[in-house]
Amino acid sequence: MLTLKQIRFCLDTMAEMFPDAHCELNHRNPFDLVIAVVLSAQCTDALVNKVTTELFKKYHVPEDYLAVTEEELQHDIRSIGLYRNKAKNIRKLCEDLIHVYGGNVPETQEELVKLAGVGRKTANVVASVAFGVPAIAVDTHVERVSKRLGICRWKDSVTEVEKTLMKKVPEEEWSVTHHRLIFFGRYHCKAQSPQCDICPLLEICREGQKRMKGREKK
């Protein structure tokens, strides 16, 4: 496991590599962001952005998603995985936003997770990006990078990864660290082809060193 000094080195290095790391899901407001993040489950941000380019021209407020049939909404998002279930959840969360929250997206994780299709990760993303609440949302990139580097343990659950990162990363850096970990995992420490040979963190990365030794033996 990395020491706090080594973790600090990782955070600073990622900051140098990806100084402009940010949420790549296109959105105009908190409501759009909720919809985009719900659609992004088990799907790439690039595909979600492709779909929402047209979707957000047609739908602007919660009422718009309820003004059409569920079948029509399914058709509008059909290129996204799990589109039937996502269409159902989107309509249900829109109903709750209208009847429970006066048409506004709640700002806290505690309230956000009450919405249909919104889990802890989604709630953290929305709270952080839309409302500036310090949070670390653990997606596949964040989990993979944290475990490969040795910030977290391989056996840790997603919730345990989140708690460990919150403990070891200064609170004022939670949100930006979330984005930098995603960029690092998406564009550098990729799932299938991590760029270990040119990684500035190789000297302290247990997984990278293991992979490089494996290459040497071939």
Side-chain angles (χ1 to χ4, degrees):
M1 300 293 288
L2 296 187
T3 64
L4 289 177
K5 183 177 180 180
Q6 289 173 320
I7 292 174
R8 182 71 262 167
F9 175 68
C10 290
L11 298 180
D12 292 342
T13 300
M14 290 181 195
E16 292 175 3
M17 294 175 69
F18 304 103
D20 300 317
H22 61 282
C23 176
E24 293 192 298
L25 289 171
N26 294 333
H27 60 282
R28 299 164 296 193
N29 50 54
F31 175 61
D32 279 356
L33 182 60
V34 171
I35 299 298
V37 181
V38 168
L39 291 174
S40 72
Q42 299 182 44
C43 182
T44 66
D45 286 2
L47 178 55
V48 173
N49 286 339
K50 183 177 180 181
V51 170
T52 56
T53 295
E54 294 303 318
L55 192 73
F56 291 162
K57 291 178 182 178
K58 180 176 180 179
Y59 303 91
H60 300 270
V61 293
E63 288 81 358
D64 293 338
Y65 289 90
L66 300 176
V68 301
T69 63
E70 190 168 314
E71 290 71 24
E72 183 173 343
L73 180 55
Q74 287 180 7
H75 180 271
D76 291 338
I77 63 173
R78 67 190 182 285
S79 59
I80 286 182
L82 307 174
Y83 70 92
R84 290 187 178 86
N85 193 50
K86 289 176 181 178
K88 181 178 180 180
N89 282 334
I90 286 173
R91 285 172 56 84
K92 179 63 171 65
L93 76 82
C94 285
E95 290 179 354
D96 289 342
L97 286 178
I98 293 170
H99 300 301
V100 181
Y101 299 101
N104 299 312
V105 175
E107 298 186 14
T108 67
Q109 290 99 323
E110 291 74 20
E111 291 299 317
L112 284 163
V113 294
K114 295 178 182 179
L115 299 173
V118 176
R120 187 170 179 83
K121 184 200 78 172
T122 299
N124 282 346
V125 171
V126 174
S128 173
V129 175
F131 302 113
V133 178
I136 297 179
V138 179
D139 69 351
T140 56
H141 299 297
V142 173
E143 180 178 11
R144 179 175 70 255
V145 170
S146 298
K147 291 182 176 181
R148 279 181 175 175
L149 284 171
I151 297 174
C152 302
R153 300 172 299 177
W154 285 113
K155 65 179 182 179
D156 284 350
S157 66
V158 171
T159 301
E160 288 171 333
V161 170
E162 180 185 342
K163 289 181 178 178
T164 296
L165 289 171
M166 290 170 68
K167 180 180 179 181
K168 296 183 177 181
V169 176
E171 184 174 353
E172 63 271 17
E173 296 180 41
W174 286 356
S175 295
V176 71
T177 294
H178 155 71
H179 294 305
R180 287 170 181 163
L181 283 168
I182 289 177
F183 270 54
F184 188 79
R186 182 175 290 162
Y187 302 113
H188 182 77
C189 190
K190 302 176 183 179
Q192 299 301 324
S193 303
Q195 301 176 47
C196 301
D197 55 329
I198 60 170
C199 184
L201 300 180
L202 180 59
E203 63 185 75
I204 60 172
C205 179
R206 60 183 182 185
E207 177 69 12
Q209 293 172 7
K210 179 181 177 181
R211 285 174 177 267
M212 291 304 292
K213 287 181 179 179
R215 293 181 188 181
E216 292 173 0
K217 293 179 180 180
K218 292 182 179 180

